[in-house]
Structures are given as C-alpha cells and as structure tokens.
Amino acid sequence: MLRIVPLLLSALLVLTLGLVQPARAEMTLVMVEEPGCAWCAKWNKEIGPIYPKTDEGALAPLHRIDIRERPPEGMSFARGLHFTPTFVLLVDGVESGRIEGYPGEDFFWGLLGRMIETAKPQGATG
C-alpha cells in the first residue's frame, strides 16, 4: 500500500499541472477541384496563398483532391462529391460540414469559421 501512494501522488501532480492533455480531434479541410474550374481558380487566387497562414489553416490544414479520382483512404464523406470547388471539413477523417461552390472571400471565411466552431469539442480552444 505504501508503494502505491507515491504513484498516486505523482499521477495527481501530473494531472493538476496539466501535463496530460486530452486528445484533440484532427481537422482537415478537403478542397475538391478539377482542371478548368473557374471558381477553383478564383479561390486559388484569393484564398490559396494566405490560407496556410491563417488560424483556420492551422486548425484545418488544406488537402486537395481531384473530383475525377477516388477519395484517399481514411476520408469518409456524408454524400457524393459532385461540384467544384467543394470544401469538406473532416474531423478525424469523417465529414463534419461542407461548402459547395465558392461564394466569395467574405462569405467563405464566415462559413468556414462556423463549420470549424461547430466541429470543435465543447470547451476546446484554439
């Protein structure tokens, strides 16, 4: 019994100091595109260069897929992918939300922000 007490105290100390953090969900923003897509090109010009530098880009890194190809293993979509561009927010590989089309820079950021906020576990920050 006396040997267990130091272990319990160590575990309590680690938890109290916050050295053990809960696992975070992994978010990815999938952009479904195809060659010749004018709205994809517009997104690439307006958002593409800055996306990785934003908070949204840090929380949900961009992964591009061609609509003509099979989605990579480990990605689960709620329904088919039929339009380009389509932006799908995946949480741990499962679709959490989507934006079909590119509604322009201002609307895109608002819609994406709402999807990310909805996808976050309660009490999560960042």
Side-chain angles (χ1 to χ4, degrees), residues 2-3 6 27 41 46 49 56-57 65-66 68 70 77 86 90 98 102-103 111 114-115 118 120 125:
L2 290 177
R3 289 184 211 188
M27 287 193 262
E46 295 178 355
E56 293 85 352
I65 62 173
D66 189 305
R68 300 167 302 169
R70 262 191 121 116
F77 298 100
T86 296
L90 299 179
R98 77 169 57 191
Y102 175 57
L111 293 169
R114 202 169 323 142
M115 284 192 325
T118 302
K120 284 185 186 174
T125 59

Side-chain angles (χ1 to χ4, degrees), residues 8-58:
L8 290 174
L9 289 175
S10 295
L12 182 60
L13 181 61
V14 167
L15 290 173
T16 303
L17 294 176
L19 298 176
V20 174
Q21 297 190 3
R24 292 185 60 174
E26 183 179 320
M27 287 193 262
T28 304
L29 182 65
V30 176
M31 179 180 181
V32 182
E33 57 188 340
E34 66 183 323
C37 168
W39 290 104
C40 300
K42 186 169 175 60
W43 187 92
N44 285 328
K45 181 180 177 190
E46 295 178 355
I47 307 290
I50 62 171
Y51 184 79
K53 302 171 188 171
T54 64
D55 291 341
E56 293 85 352

